[in-house]
Amino acid sequence: MPKYFRDKIANHYLYFTSQCIVEAMHVHASDRKLTEVNSAKFFVREDGSSVMQKRGDLTDSEITTIQKFIKENYIDMYKTWKDFGGKEFYRK
């Protein structure tokens, strides 16, 4: 699974799966296995804000930390996403 960054953010890896790239840009967050099962999922807008689609096992504090991190790093994350053939930003 491609990770956006090597280190954990709020004790969770931020990643996507090769099957994910058919959707708008998003980020999975999991502290264990890098799969879609039991992971949180955030769709990323072109301004770096994110919409949580699935909470997974995240606490409110972890959600806030991860969304802030996405906002601060979404350009680099988007480049990684596009390098794997990912679609555009979330537009809803």
Side-chain angles (χ1 to χ4, degrees), residues 15-28:
Y15 63 95
F16 56 94
T17 68
S18 58
Q19 294 84 18
C20 288
I21 59 173
V22 298
E23 296 182 291
M25 185 193 172
H26 61 276
V27 176
H28 288 283

Side-chain angles (χ1 to χ4, degrees), residues 16-55:
F16 56 94
T17 68
S18 58
Q19 294 84 18
C20 288
I21 59 173
V22 298
E23 296 182 291
M25 185 193 172
H26 61 276
V27 176
H28 288 283
S30 177
D31 62 349
R32 295 180 207 97
K33 296 180 181 177
L34 303 184
T35 67
E36 292 187 54
V37 177
N38 297 324
S39 70
K41 184 175 183 180
F42 300 87
F43 280 101
V44 182
R45 293 185 173 128
E46 60 190 333
D47 66 355
S49 63
S50 58
V51 177
M52 186 174 59
Q53 182 195 37
K54 191 171 123 185
R55 183 182 187 102

Side-chain angles (χ1 to χ4, degrees), residues 2-91:
K3 292 182 200 170
Y4 288 106
F5 298 94
R6 188 180 62 163
D7 298 329
K8 287 184 174 182
I9 308 304
N11 293 317
H12 288 73
Y13 290 110
L14 304 183
Y15 63 95
F16 56 94
T17 68
S18 58
Q19 294 84 18
C20 288
I21 59 173
V22 298
E23 296 182 291
M25 185 193 172
H26 61 276
V27 176
H28 288 283
S30 177
D31 62 349
R32 295 180 207 97
K33 296 180 181 177
L34 303 184
T35 67
E36 292 187 54
V37 177
N38 297 324
S39 70
K41 184 175 183 180
F42 300 87
F43 280 101
V44 182
R45 293 185 173 128
E46 60 190 333
D47 66 355
S49 63
S50 58
V51 177
M52 186 174 59
Q53 182 195 37
K54 191 171 123 185
R55 183 182 187 102
D57 64 355
L58 297 179
T59 65
D60 290 343
S61 175
E62 290 168 334
I63 291 167
T64 300
T65 299
I66 289 171
Q67 286 186 307
K68 181 180 177 188
F69 184 86
I70 291 170
K71 179 78 172 172
E72 293 171 354
N73 296 279
Y74 78 100
I75 298 291
D76 290 331
M77 295 170 82
Y78 183 68
K79 289 175 186 175
T80 300
W81 171 260
K82 290 299 281 184
D83 285 347
F84 279 86
K87 302 291 182 192
E88 299 300 320
F89 289 107
Y90 185 68
R91 300 206 187 276

